[in-house]
Amino acid sequence: AACFVRVPTEVVKQRMQTKQYGTTGGAVRSILQNEGVLGFYRGYFSTVAREIPFTCIQFPLYEYMKKTYASTTHRPKVDPWEAAICGSIAGGIAAGITTPLDVVKTRVMLSQRQQNIAGSLSSSSSSLSSSLSSSQYYYSGIVSTFKRILAEEGPRALFSGIGPRVMWISIGGSIFLGAYEKTKVLVSHSH
C-alpha cells in the first residue's frame, strides 16, 4: 500500500536525478503525455518485490537482535538507544542483501521506450538517437531485467550502489526504530 504512494514520487525523482527532466512539472507532464498514468507506476511490482524481502529480513533480524542483547545483559528489554543500534545493523544487512532487487527496480523505473528517449535528446544528437535500438534503454519485468543485467554487465552490476544504500538505510533504521522504541517507552509511562 505504501508503494502505491511512494512509486510515483520515486519515478519523478529518479528521472530528474538522471537529468531526463529539468523540472517537476515538466516531468509530470511528460510522463503523463508519453506514458499515461501507468508511467508513474513503472517499477511498482519491482518495488514491492524489493520491499517484501527487505522487510522480511529487517524486522525479524531486528527483533532477534533486541531479544538476544536483552537476554545477554539479563534485562527484559533493551533501551531505545540500543534498539536504534539493532535497527541500524538489521537495516544495513537487509539493504545489502536486497541491493540486486533495488538495482532491478531502479532500471525498470528509469526505463523509457526509444521514442521517449529520442524526444528528450537534443536535435544535434538525433542521428545518435535514431541509431539506438529501444532494447538498449528499455527494461521491462523483474526477471528479464535481472537476467539482462547479469548477461550484459555481470553479477557485480547487481550490487551497484550497495555502499550508499547500506549507509542510508542503516541511518534510517537507527532513527526510525530508535524513535519507535522511545515512543513506546513514553506511551507506556503515560499510562
Side-chain angles (χ1 to χ4, degrees):
C3 291
F4 188 75
V5 174
R6 188 181 306 148
V7 169
T9 59
E10 278 288 305
V11 168
V12 172
K13 178 194 72 144
Q14 287 184 354
R15 290 184 183 184
M16 288 184 69
Q17 287 176 339
T18 57
K19 305 275 188 225
Q20 291 181 28
Y21 304 106
T23 66
T24 303
V28 169
R29 281 188 299 279
S30 181
I31 292 168
L32 197 54
Q33 180 181 30
N34 295 321
E35 300 172 62
V37 172
L38 292 179
F40 291 105
Y41 288 93
R42 279 206 55 73
Y44 177 81
F45 292 110
S46 56
T47 302
V48 170
R50 177 200 66 186
E51 289 298 311
I52 291 172
F54 176 86
T55 302
C56 289
I57 295 166
Q58 181 188 30
F59 285 105
L61 185 57
Y62 168 67
E63 291 296 335
Y64 173 79
M65 292 172 70
K66 286 190 325 177
K67 183 178 177 183
T68 302
Y69 188 74
S71 175
T72 303
T73 59
H74 308 291
R75 294 182 287 152
K77 58 186 177 181
V78 297
D79 291 334
W81 70 270
E82 294 165 324
I85 293 170
C86 292
S88 177
I89 294 168
I93 291 170
I97 292 170
T98 59
T99 294
L101 297 171
D102 189 60
V103 170
V104 167
K105 183 246 354 150
T106 301
R107 297 284 181 97
V108 170
M109 226 175 237
L110 290 175
S111 179
Q112 296 182 60
R113 294 197 185 274
Q114 182 184 8
Q115 66 270 16
N116 296 339
I117 294 290
S120 66
L121 295 172
S122 70
S123 58
S124 64
S125 61
S126 61
S127 62
L128 169 67
S129 66
S130 63
S131 68
L132 296 174
S133 72
S134 63
S135 66
Q136 289 176 289
Y137 287 108
Y138 194 70
Y139 291 91
S140 177
I142 299 163
V143 174
S144 64
T145 299
F146 186 88
K147 286 179 179 179
R148 182 172 162 197
I149 293 168
L150 269 178
E152 293 178 5
E153 301 172 59
R156 194 170 182 171
L158 290 167
F159 290 92
S160 297
I162 190 171
R165 177 170 161 74
V166 167
M167 181 182 71
W168 177 250
I169 291 177
S170 292
I171 293 168
S174 172
I175 294 167
F176 174 75
L177 293 168
Y180 172 73
E181 294 294 335
K182 182 66 176 176
T183 302
K184 281 176 33 180
V185 168
L186 294 172
V187 168
S188 70
H189 288 325
S190 69
H191 285 81

